[in-house]
Amino acid sequence: MEKDQRIKIAVQKSGRLTENSLELLHRCGLVYSRGRDELICYGENMPIDILLVRDDDIPDLVRDDICDVGIVGYNVMHERRLELEASEMPVSFELHRTLDYGHCKLCLAVPESEDYAGPQTLQGKRIATSYPNLLREYLGKERVSAEIAVMSGAIEIAPKLGKADLICDLVSSGRTLAANHLRPVATVLQSQAALITTGARLPAAKRSWLERLLRRMEGVLQVRESKYIMLHAPRASLAEIRRLLPGSETPTVIPLEGCDDRVAVHAVCRENVFWETLEDLKGAGASSVLVLPVEKMLA
Ligand code: PRP
Ligand code: ZN
């Protein structure tokens, strides 16, 4: 396939999404080698290359069709979307789906010694952030006016430096806030990893590879929680057993040799199976319960 026929995926070079994103692509069957500069990983078994870049650059790399796909924080994507919309520029990247990892929140946080009594506390305050558009949208919704001090890094030290009264920044484990004696008081946006795609029309061959990759991703994400469960159960409690199996479709019921009142039940559960469920199944008369991870699934 020609060079420009290869799919390019933008992934954060180093940060909260890097490892999980590369792992996701790996589980989609992509085998890649890293170039010498380590910024491009060339796909060896599929016409798909990975570009390792700064996360803030990902929406525009997809928007400008330098990359066809990007994996980026929902927060970064939405901030850029609002910014483009505010300046009446075409957005031209599309959210394909969220990926259920890299969960974090964009939060308002105040110095530990300060009180916070709801959004009206923000009136007239100065808030440091690198997400001015998301913050502006939030303030508008809460009908308060506050000054937004745009900073590109080290937001958490702004109050200490007297550059702001409070901050609006990303919180994941909460360690950064705690280390800076700040406490989160409100959530502006819930975020997680998101897959964005170009709005441009792709040549047929490229499009079909992209569709294939996206289908595999659906499969990978679906099996992450899915379990294959096997158990023996009294025929009489089949209805209850079925009710207890989380997110399962019609289970397979198999007769047990020389045993009329008990059967084997096999089912795929589309949700995680917790110890509580196993205990409930046992309570309903199940025995020999086995829960196995699902490796691959193609709907
Ligand atoms: C965010 C935020 C904090 C940190 C919070 O930065 O600005 O520095 O993460 O995480 P914690 O609650 O686990 O301490 P990020 O690493 O996303 O960097 P970036 O926004 O510059 O890409
Ligand atoms: Zn960043």
Side-chain angles (χ1 to χ4, degrees):
M1 211 183 270
E2 281 173 50
K3 205 152 196 262
D4 63 328
Q5 293 273 343
R6 296 178 67 83
I7 293 166
K8 289 182 194 60
I9 304 183
V11 169
Q12 184 181 29
K13 186 168 50 177
S14 68
R16 112 179 55 248
L17 301 183
T18 310
E19 206 184 309
N20 284 323
S21 302
L22 293 175
E23 168 72 15
L24 172 62
L25 293 168
H26 171 71
R27 293 194 60 189
C28 288
L30 180 63
V31 176
Y32 54 82
S33 62
R34 276 199 178 187
R36 209 169 6 148
D37 57 3
E38 300 227 331
L39 294 185
I40 300 185
C41 305
Y42 295 98
E44 289 175 351
N45 58 343
M46 299 187 216
I48 299 175
D49 301 326
I50 305 170
L51 267 69
L52 296 170
V53 297
R54 236 168 51 97
D55 64 342
D56 307 66
D57 293 337
I58 293 176
D60 279 359
L61 284 168
V62 177
R63 179 173 178 264
D64 299 339
D65 289 327
I66 296 164
C67 292
D68 311 288
V69 184
I71 299 179
V72 67
Y74 186 89
N75 55 309
V76 172
M77 177 211 68
H78 200 42
E79 171 69 19
R80 183 61 180 144
R81 175 187 293 278
L82 292 177
E83 187 182 6
L84 289 166
E85 282 170 359
S87 48
E88 290 178 14
M89 310 234 290
V91 176
S92 44
F93 55 76
E94 292 162 7
L95 173 64
H96 178 72
R97 62 162 294 159
T98 50
L99 299 170
D100 201 25
Y101 61 83
H103 289 272
C104 56
K105 295 192 275 187
L106 184 64
C107 286
L108 287 165
V110 301
E112 274 163 3
S113 55
E114 304 274 319
D115 291 330
Y116 182 81
Q120 69 274 16
T121 313
L122 303 170
Q123 186 66 36
K125 293 279 168 60
R126 194 173 151 84
I127 310 173
T129 190
S130 45
Y131 296 91
N133 293 282
L134 286 168
L135 177 57
R136 194 172 300 117
E137 186 185 56
Y138 176 83
L139 294 172
K141 258 189 243 155
E142 297 294 342
R143 296 168 192 278
V144 288
S145 64
E147 191 188 336
I148 300 175
V150 184
M151 292 176 62
S152 54
I155 315 292
E156 59 277 1
I157 60 169
K160 216 178 307 174
L161 297 177
K163 289 194 182 298
D165 300 300
L166 65 152
I167 69 165
C168 172
D169 199 13
L170 224 52
V171 180
S172 162
S173 66
R175 269 195 294 270
T176 305
L177 288 189
N180 288 280
H181 304 285
L182 297 164
R183 82 189 153 94
V185 290
T187 299
V188 171
L189 183 84
Q190 298 268 8
S191 185
Q192 55 175 288
L195 188 79
I196 58 173
T197 51
T198 171
R201 264 195 75 80
L202 298 176
K206 206 169 166 179
R207 195 175 62 232
S208 104
W209 267 107
L210 181 59
E211 281 165 4
R212 204 159 154 189
L213 177 73
L214 296 178
R215 248 195 327 269
R216 288 188 186 185
M217 270 190 195
E218 297 297 329
V220 170
L221 295 165
Q222 207 163 62
V223 297
R224 226 174 19 183
E225 291 280 279
S226 295
K227 295 285 177 284
Y228 193 76
I229 184 161
M230 304 193 280
L231 53 84
H232 289 180
R235 210 177 262 285
S237 44
L238 263 181
E240 189 183 356
I241 300 269
R242 276 184 68 167
R243 197 178 48 74
L244 289 169
L245 294 173
S248 76
E249 281 158 27
T250 330
T252 309
V253 178
I254 310 156
L256 288 173
E257 186 69 30
C259 187
D260 284 341
D261 56 340
R262 288 181 81 76
V263 287
V265 178
H266 291 193
V268 173
C269 295
R270 301 283 178 119
E271 292 163 37
N272 217 336
V273 179
F274 297 102
W275 281 110
E276 288 74 10
T277 309
L278 298 192
E279 287 153 5
D280 292 345
L281 286 167
K282 210 149 170 57
S287 60
S288 312
V289 186
L290 274 183
V291 180
L292 310 172
V294 175
E295 237 246 332
K296 290 189 180 68
M297 193 187 283
L298 200 61

